[in-house]
Amino acid sequence: MCNVPAIPIPKERDSWISTERMLEIIDEMKEMGVAEFGVSGGEPLLDVERLFKVLEYAAKRGIYTHFGTNGLLMSEEILRRYDSMGVGHISLSFDAIGEVHDLIRGKAGTFEDGVLKAIEIFKKVNPKNINLKINAIFSNDNLEQLPELIEFVGKSKFMIFLQPFDPCAYDFFLKNRDAEAAHREFSQWIPPDRFELLDDVIEQTISIEKKYPGCLLNDIEHLRAIKRYFSLELLENPAPCTVAFEKLWIRANGDVKYCNYGHIGNLKDSSLREIWNCDRIRKTRKAMLNCKFVCLLGCIYSSSVFSIFKKGMRTARLLLK
């Protein structure tokens, strides 16, 4: 959903940053006051020992950790092991109920053997320190099924974050500014003739959140902005992007990059502090503040503490667990 297949992540382990260097970087994070460390993918559980060595070290250093998964490799042993490390959460990719999820993922059985299995494991283990966060995408492929999915999450007493499909094609959108053309180019983009349904799904989502207070991590303002995202109205009044002031992405080979803004440096041969304060990242921050495309991705959005408590004590209790 974030164009991962198009990212040239090297397959050869020889080019990867070493586990030992990652542990050194975590020490640097702690010294710099970094509070959160997450691992995305691909699928992090493909190398569970490497993953947990890094997560456990970060947890011992007092850093909040999390990782994403499609659920296929989840097990009771993995969840119990992660729960024993300290506080954190697992993000589970969940696109739709049943066959639609499988179709979007491109592989039969991913709903039963991934999503449902992972959820049942969470219910059985009932971890004391780890939350389950569902990540779901607004797209043309699953629009009708989203209310059922959100209802399912609410009943299961987990949390969900919704974001719109992003084909990572900012230049295309800035050049065309046409939602119909966007749908022709990217079939998962919701076209104008389905905007009425999109409005209805958003309102249904808000109603479901009232029924299960705290299940939805989105603010209502963020949720309603999704319609303006797909219509490209957000291009007319873009908000400044502050991601590079708050977060840093480390790729498999140690490269640090942001969106379309090029190479910043490599942590194999530079310290975290050097990269965080270098001229390239300063130029990137300045450019990102003037980004003309509002993507509404989770990396740029975080619910405020106030909004979480306002939503209900159930969410507050989960996040404070």
Side-chain angles (χ1 to χ4, degrees):
M1 290 303 181
C2 302
N3 211 29
V4 168
I7 298 173
I9 298 173
K11 298 290 191 294
E12 299 79 14
R13 281 177 174 260
D14 290 345
S15 69
W16 287 9
I17 194 167
S18 70
T19 304
E20 292 69 29
R21 176 62 186 130
M22 280 306 306
L23 301 185
E24 293 173 355
I25 292 166
I26 288 169
D27 284 333
E28 294 181 68
M29 289 180 185
K30 182 64 178 178
E31 291 169 7
M32 293 173 66
V34 175
E36 178 183 346
F37 174 72
V39 181
S40 61
E43 174 54 55
L45 290 177
L46 283 168
D47 193 339
V48 71
E49 293 304 320
R50 174 176 160 93
L51 171 69
F52 276 14
K53 186 172 184 178
V54 175
L55 292 179
E56 185 172 29
Y57 191 76
K60 285 180 178 178
R61 300 289 277 139
I63 298 173
Y64 181 94
T65 68
H66 56 93
F67 68 91
T69 181
N70 60 25
L72 289 169
L73 298 176
M74 181 58 65
S75 68
E76 288 184 37
E77 179 187 3
I78 285 172
L79 182 54
R80 293 184 194 279
R81 184 177 175 185
Y82 190 37
D83 189 41
S84 70
M85 294 180 189
V87 296
H89 73 262
I90 296 174
S91 294
L92 177 66
S93 299
F94 187 177
D95 300 322
I97 302 288
E99 291 183 1
V100 177
H101 177 89
D102 290 359
L103 288 170
I104 291 172
R105 290 279 145 180
K107 183 176 176 62
T110 53
F111 177 71
E112 292 281 343
D113 300 332
V115 173
L116 282 188
K117 182 187 73 174
I119 287 173
E120 289 306 311
I121 287 171
F122 254 87
K123 288 179 177 178
K124 181 177 180 179
V125 172
N126 191 23
K128 295 180 179 179
N129 303 304
I130 302 301
N131 285 317
L132 179 63
K133 170 178 169 258
I134 304 295
N135 285 340
I137 306 295
F138 268 87
S139 82
N140 194 45
D141 290 348
N142 70 344
L143 188 56
E144 289 91 346
Q145 288 80 17
L146 276 175
E148 183 184 9
L149 186 159
I150 298 161
E151 179 90 18
F152 177 90
V153 173
K155 282 182 179 178
S156 301
K157 299 183 179 180
F158 297 121
M159 297 178 292
I160 185 168
F161 179 75
L162 300 158
Q163 69 180 47
F165 165 67
D166 180 13
C168 299
Y170 308 139
D171 292 341
F172 174 89
F173 293 120
L174 293 172
K175 180 180 179 181
N176 290 276
R177 296 174 177 262
D178 182 338
E180 188 62 53
H183 173 65
R184 289 196 299 270
E185 186 73 14
F186 311 104
S187 63
Q188 287 177 289
W189 193 268
I190 298 173
D193 63 1
R194 283 164 63 81
F195 284 169
E196 187 174 340
L197 174 60
L198 175 58
D199 279 335
D200 182 57
V201 169
I202 290 171
E203 293 308 314
Q204 285 187 63
T205 300
I206 294 169
S207 296
I208 294 168
E209 205 272 341
K210 291 178 180 177
K211 186 177 177 182
Y212 305 102
C215 72
L216 185 66
L217 284 171
N218 304 66
D219 285 338
I220 301 304
E221 180 182 355
H222 180 266
L223 193 63
R224 287 193 167 131
I226 290 174
K227 163 73 175 299
R228 293 185 289 124
Y229 167 87
F230 281 110
S231 68
L232 299 176
E233 291 175 29
L234 290 180
L235 289 174
E236 304 305 320
N237 187 28
C241 178
T242 61
V243 168
F245 291 89
E246 303 161 356
K247 297 179 174 68
L248 183 141
W249 275 266
I250 306 169
R251 301 211 176 182
N253 64 355
D255 280 346
V256 174
K257 295 182 179 180
Y258 290 94
C259 304
N260 295 336
Y261 295 95
H263 183 264
I264 305 294
N266 189 290
L267 283 165
K268 287 179 183 175
D269 47 35
S270 299
S271 73
L272 187 68
R273 193 177 295 276
E274 285 172 339
I275 286 183
W276 189 250
N277 295 303
C278 71
D279 288 340
R280 285 184 180 178
I281 203 168
R282 287 176 182 152
K283 291 177 182 177
T284 297
R285 288 173 183 142
K286 185 176 180 180
M288 292 178 83
L289 283 172
N290 295 296
C291 180
K292 302 301 182 185
F293 186 79
V294 181
C295 62
L296 295 183
L297 292 181
C299 57
I300 69 165
Y301 176 79
S302 296
S303 297
S304 68
V305 173
F306 173 75
S307 70
I308 290 169
F309 276 89
K310 186 179 176 182
K311 279 173 174 295
M313 287 305 297
R314 188 170 77 84
T315 298
R317 282 196 298 269
L318 281 169
L319 293 177
L320 291 172
K321 183 169 73 172

